[in-house]
């Protein structure tokens, strides 16, 4: 298959300069604030975004150096296939987070609920619409009974 390439549309700015202590999930970082800088050529795409309370942020996990097809989550004692986990060490290190949109100011999105390292390249943003996401009978596979407390975990916790 042909190689796929993306160009960043912006950069994410957070307090996690060296990647240490980044929350593993946005749900556990609801009060941690950050900023998304949108590059000038993409500013027209922000029109009407300020009316949304949450956005989906798609970003490159630029600190991932060794992808793996297996992962050992800190809340489980055994290894799993990476596609059955939320590990950042993936063949294509792409992060997806739902964050709270605080404001849109001059090409900057002020957000809360960050789970990204500083300087993460931004690939895309979309408005979060709860009704467009699956609801009802959701199965959690091997994570059943283990999700309580996952959202408080940070990188480096073991």
């Amino acid at each position: 298959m042909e190689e796929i390439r993306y160009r960043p549309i912006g950069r994410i700015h957070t307090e996690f300069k060296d990647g240490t202590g980044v929350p593993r999930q946005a749900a556990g970082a609801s009060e941690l604030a950050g900023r998304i800088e949108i590059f000038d050529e993409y500013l027209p795409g922000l029109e009407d975004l300020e009316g949304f309370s949450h956005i989906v942020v798609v970003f490159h996990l630029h600190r991932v150096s060794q992808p793996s097809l297996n992962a050992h989550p800190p809340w489980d004692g055994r290894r799993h296939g990476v596609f059955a986990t939320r590990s950042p060490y993936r063949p294509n290190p792409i992060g997806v987070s739902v964050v709270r949109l605080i404001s849109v100011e001059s090409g900057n999105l002020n957000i809360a609920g960050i789970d990204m390292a500083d300087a993460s390249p931004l690939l895309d943003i979309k408005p979060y619409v709860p009704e467009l996401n699956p609801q009802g009978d959701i199965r959690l596979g091997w994570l059943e009974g283990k999700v309580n407390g996952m959202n408080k975990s940070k990188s480096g916790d073991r």
Side-chain angles (χ1 to χ4, degrees):
M1 180 177 272
E2 183 179 315
E3 181 179 6
I4 300 169
R5 293 181 157 213
Y6 292 97
R7 287 180 34 159
I9 63 167
R11 187 158 315 277
I12 301 169
H13 300 281
T14 74
E15 65 185 71
F16 304 105
K17 306 297 183 205
D18 65 0
T20 304
V22 178
R24 291 184 192 272
Q25 306 299 326
S30 62
E31 297 309 312
L32 285 176
R35 178 176 60 89
I36 299 175
E37 166 194 7
I38 303 297
F39 298 149
D40 288 345
E41 62 192 284
Y42 300 103
L43 291 178
L46 295 178
E47 184 177 349
D48 298 323
L49 185 64
E50 71 277 353
F52 292 89
S53 67
H54 290 75
I55 56 174
V56 178
V57 179
V58 181
F59 56 101
H60 177 66
L61 296 161
H62 69 295
R63 293 190 162 273
V64 171
S65 58
Q66 306 242 335
S68 175
L69 293 178
N70 292 293
H72 187 169
W75 40 80
D76 191 55
R78 64 186 186 93
R79 295 181 74 72
H80 300 275
V82 73
F83 303 128
T85 74
R86 295 177 63 103
S87 170
Y89 300 99
R90 318 181 76 73
N92 291 307
I94 297 170
V96 179
S97 296
V98 175
V99 300
R100 185 166 39 99
L101 180 61
I102 298 169
S103 64
V104 179
E105 298 174 6
S106 304
N108 289 289
L109 309 179
N110 295 305
I111 60 171
I114 58 165
D115 62 348
M116 310 96 170
D118 188 58
S120 295
L122 176 69
L123 301 177
D124 200 4
I125 51 177
K126 299 179 181 199
Y128 176 73
V129 182
E131 292 80 6
L132 300 182
N133 288 288
Q135 300 180 18
D137 187 24
I138 305 293
R139 295 177 310 188
L140 300 180
W142 69 268
L143 281 168
E144 193 72 48
K146 297 180 182 186
V147 295
N148 210 6
M150 276 176 50
N151 63 351
K152 302 291 185 209
S153 180
K154 295 181 175 22
S155 67
D157 290 351
R158 283 281 172 188

